[in-house]
Amino acid sequence: MRKTLYLKFLLAYLIFGAFGFITVATFVSSMTMEHIKREKADALYREATLIANTYASDLYDNKTSLDAVKTQLDALDSYLSSTIWIINPSGRIILDSSKPLDVENVNLVENFDPTVTGNTYYTVGDFFGTFKEDHLSVFAPITSHFKVNGYVVIHMPLQTLQQSAYSLLNISYILLLILFLLSLIILIFFTELVYVPLKKITYATEQYASGNMHYNFQVESEDEMGYLAASLNYMADEIARGEDNQKKFVANVSHDFRSPLTSIKGYLEAMIDGTIPPELHEKYLTIVLNETLRLTKLTNGLLQLNNLNMKGMILEKTDFDINDMIRSTAASFEGTCRSKMIGIELVLTGETLTVHADADKIQQVLYNLLDNAIKFSHNNSVIKLESAQKKSKVIISVKDKGIGIPKDSLKLIWDRFYKTDLSRGKDKKGTGLGLSIVKEIIQAHGENINVISTEDVGTEFFFTLPLVDDDED
């Protein structure tokens, strides 16, 4: 059976309570008893010393009678709830507050030894076999002319002291019980604030481990536990989104590979079985060649996009004239533009505009954006390429007057293989990877790219690059 954190915490709580009661019952009990014994001994010693210096001293100096002293001792006996003796050094009891005065019968304590107390002034026991139960006995010497004439001994039953100790122990037990109940509040708070959220998080991780990345849970807390729950939810959402994108990616790749492969297979089988006559082979072989070129382009795009996604991608940055690159890129599309009667307007800032970037990759960005602009522009329209300087940045813009991008598709055009419904009729040879590659390159430079588009009006892509100040040494 798996031991949960809550059971461990509960077990620790019960062990704490058990050890608390054991401690009070043993150590606190003995310490309390010793404390009461010392305090009572101090109090009785003061009384014994007072009696020794007054009534007992007067008795031995013949300043008072035995009856008078007996009367005083009887009163103190009731007050102190103790037995008071006046005893000779030989062990003979002169006066006993617990018994009537009897001078004819000698009451002797066998083996009486006043040094039994050692370095203290009291002893605990049966007082040389006098009592059946243990007593606390306090000694105070009766002195006269530097001579010890006797002792005042006050006896108190140890049971009386134990009752006082038990009263104090009861208070300790009650305080311990209150502390135990108060600590139960901590257990309740732990249950609500830690265990319940942790149980939710544990169950959620089990769901994620089993592959259910769409499982969502809520922890209403603004502390580390809530932050952990939010992080797990975010992680699961990202993983789920990644899985969905992966499935979509596989589906798109399969579709884009299957279409040309199906065409190639169909044309080749038709030529082999004679469905297509030999005189038409060249025509259909050209089609097959174009389909293989499309597959090659798709494969190269995937490889390039994969390389761009790798962390630590090395950019060979240099200083170059972006205006000159725009001019040469535009010139490379002269034949395509002439066939569609499309003009390219260059609006460039200055003769030269130097930027610091990877020239090859930026040229690919310009090529892809201009290729898209031409592809989706209407015949007899104009595409505008513009460079502008703004503080430490250069803004490059490619603007066409073509079919535009639907509003719902603006955030999706950067996804791999994505094609809008409007573009599917015109972009039959496209792979849907161009804009993904463009965004990866620009982001790898730490720059931004954005798009503004209106259906049937046109589209404008613009991105930034860092400017190199020609005036700097």
Side-chain angles (χ1 to χ4, degrees):
M1 180 180 177
R2 185 180 62 178
K3 293 183 178 180
T4 65
L5 180 64
Y6 186 73
L7 289 179
K8 292 178 181 178
F9 195 85
L10 184 61
L11 181 62
Y13 174 75
L14 295 176
I15 291 174
F16 162 75
F19 272 101
F21 278 101
I22 292 173
T23 301
V24 171
T26 55
F27 298 105
V28 176
S29 176
S30 60
M31 288 189 295
T32 302
M33 188 62 188
E34 286 298 322
H35 176 72
I36 291 177
K37 192 187 301 180
R38 284 195 300 269
E39 279 198 339
K40 193 55 128 177
D42 289 341
L44 293 178
Y45 180 73
R46 287 193 295 270
E47 293 294 335
T49 302
L50 182 61
I51 294 171
N53 293 333
T54 55
Y55 307 125
S57 181
D58 290 345
L59 178 64
Y60 276 94
D61 291 340
N62 296 318
K63 294 180 180 180
T64 185
S65 64
L66 198 61
D67 291 330
V69 175
K70 178 69 168 64
T71 303
Q72 295 297 330
L73 293 185
D74 288 345
L76 288 172
D77 182 305
S78 300
Y79 174 71
L80 297 174
S81 299
S82 304
T83 302
I84 304 173
W85 288 358
I86 295 178
I87 187 171
N88 284 343
S90 62
R92 179 185 177 185
I93 300 174
I94 305 299
L95 279 177
D96 185 349
S97 64
S98 64
K99 297 179 180 179
L101 185 61
D102 186 2
V103 295
E104 295 181 358
N105 296 319
V106 177
N107 193 359
L108 185 66
V109 177
E110 298 290 339
N111 301 320
F112 174 70
D113 183 8
T115 63
V116 70
T117 59
N119 295 327
T120 63
Y121 44 83
Y122 68 92
T123 183
V124 177
D126 59 2
F127 201 75
F128 306 101
T130 304
F131 303 106
K132 294 181 179 180
E133 298 178 351
D134 288 342
H135 280 64
L136 172 67
S137 302
V138 177
F139 288 76
I142 305 169
T143 59
S144 177
H145 303 292
F146 304 103
K147 179 183 177 182
V148 177
N149 297 320
Y151 297 91
V152 174
V153 183
I154 302 178
H155 303 286
M156 175 173 282
L158 204 61
Q159 186 177 2
T160 304
L161 299 179
Q162 288 175 341
Q163 289 176 353
S164 300
Y166 291 153
S167 298
L168 292 177
L169 279 176
N170 287 336
I171 296 175
S172 299
Y173 282 123
I174 292 172
L175 289 176
L176 180 62
L177 181 61
I178 293 174
L179 181 62
F180 189 73
L181 293 176
L182 288 176
S183 62
L184 184 62
I185 298 175
I186 299 177
L187 182 62
I188 294 173
F189 271 97
F190 170 81
T191 302
E192 293 297 323
L193 301 180
V194 178
Y195 177 68
V196 172
L198 191 60
K199 190 174 181 181
K200 290 182 180 179
I201 292 173
T202 303
Y203 182 76
T205 55
E206 291 174 351
Q207 292 294 313
Y208 299 150
S210 64
N212 182 16
M213 291 300 170
H214 293 282
Y215 177 78
N216 200 353
F217 69 104
Q218 196 72 24
V219 173
E220 298 295 338
S221 177
E222 295 182 358
D223 54 12
E224 288 82 356
M225 198 66 68
Y227 179 76
L228 176 61
S231 299
L232 281 175
N233 268 325
Y234 177 77
M235 177 198 72
D237 290 340
E238 290 299 310
I239 294 176
R241 187 179 296 110
E243 289 182 348
D244 292 340
N245 289 337
Q246 184 179 16
K247 292 177 181 178
K248 184 178 178 181
F249 174 79
V250 172
N252 287 332
V253 169
S254 301
H255 176 269
D256 279 29
F257 270 89
R258 185 171 58 246
S259 297
L261 286 174
T262 300
S263 298
I264 293 172
K265 179 175 179 293
Y267 290 136
L268 291 178
E269 287 178 346
M271 284 187 285
I272 292 173
D273 63 20
T275 303
I276 298 177
E279 59 270 17
L280 295 178
H281 282 187
E282 183 177 355
K283 172 185 175 183
Y284 288 100
L285 285 175
T286 302
I287 296 175
V288 169
L289 179 61
N290 288 335
E291 292 296 322
T292 58
L293 291 175
R294 180 183 172 190
L295 287 174
T296 301
K297 183 178 179 182
L298 179 60
T299 303
N300 291 336
L302 287 172
L303 292 174
Q304 183 179 18
L305 195 57
N306 182 65
N307 292 333
L308 290 174
N309 281 332
M310 293 175 61
K311 291 185 177 180
M313 179 181 61
I314 299 176
L315 296 175
E316 298 179 2
K317 293 184 178 181
T318 57
D319 295 344
F320 61 91
D321 181 11
I322 189 65
N323 285 347
D324 184 60
M325 181 176 288
I326 292 173
R327 295 187 191 98
S328 61
T329 304
S332 65
F333 285 93
E334 181 178 352
T336 306
C337 291
R338 185 180 294 111
S339 64
K340 294 187 65 174
M341 303 298 292
I342 294 176
I344 297 179
E345 179 184 358
L346 303 180
V347 182
L348 307 178
T349 300
E351 287 296 323
T352 60
L353 198 58
T354 307
V355 297
H356 184 69
D358 188 315
D360 291 337
K361 290 183 173 58
I362 296 302
Q363 186 169 30
Q364 186 176 4
V365 169
L366 287 172
Y367 184 92
N368 287 351
L369 292 179
L370 188 54
D371 182 55
N372 274 352
I374 295 172
K375 194 179 298 179
F376 300 114
S377 290
H378 300 298
N379 293 341
N380 299 310
S381 61
V382 175
I383 296 173
K384 184 177 181 181
L385 270 67
E386 183 176 359
S387 66
Q389 178 181 343
K390 187 174 183 180
K391 295 183 179 180
S392 61
K393 298 289 183 181
V394 173
I395 302 174
I396 297 95
S397 167
V398 179
K399 184 176 182 181
D400 65 59
K401 296 180 180 179
I403 62 175
I405 303 172
K407 185 177 181 180
D408 295 339
S409 300
L410 283 176
K411 292 182 179 180
L412 303 174
I413 59 173
W414 311 107
D415 295 345
R416 302 176 184 182
F417 298 102
Y418 182 78
K419 296 181 183 180
T420 66
D421 292 335
L422 294 177
S423 69
R424 292 187 184 275
K426 288 180 170 287
D427 191 19
K428 295 183 182 295
K429 295 183 180 181
T431 63
L433 296 174
L435 291 179
S436 297
I437 294 173
V438 166
K439 186 174 183 179
E440 293 291 341
I441 291 175
I442 297 300
Q443 287 184 340
H445 283 78
E447 300 296 330
N448 297 310
I449 182 168
N450 289 293
V451 59
I452 300 174
S453 184
T454 304
E455 287 187 58
D456 298 324
V457 175
T459 303
E460 179 181 9
F461 286 91
F462 53 94
F463 61 93
T464 60
L465 289 175
L467 174 70
V468 175
D469 192 352
D470 294 331
D471 295 332
E472 291 182 357
D473 294 332

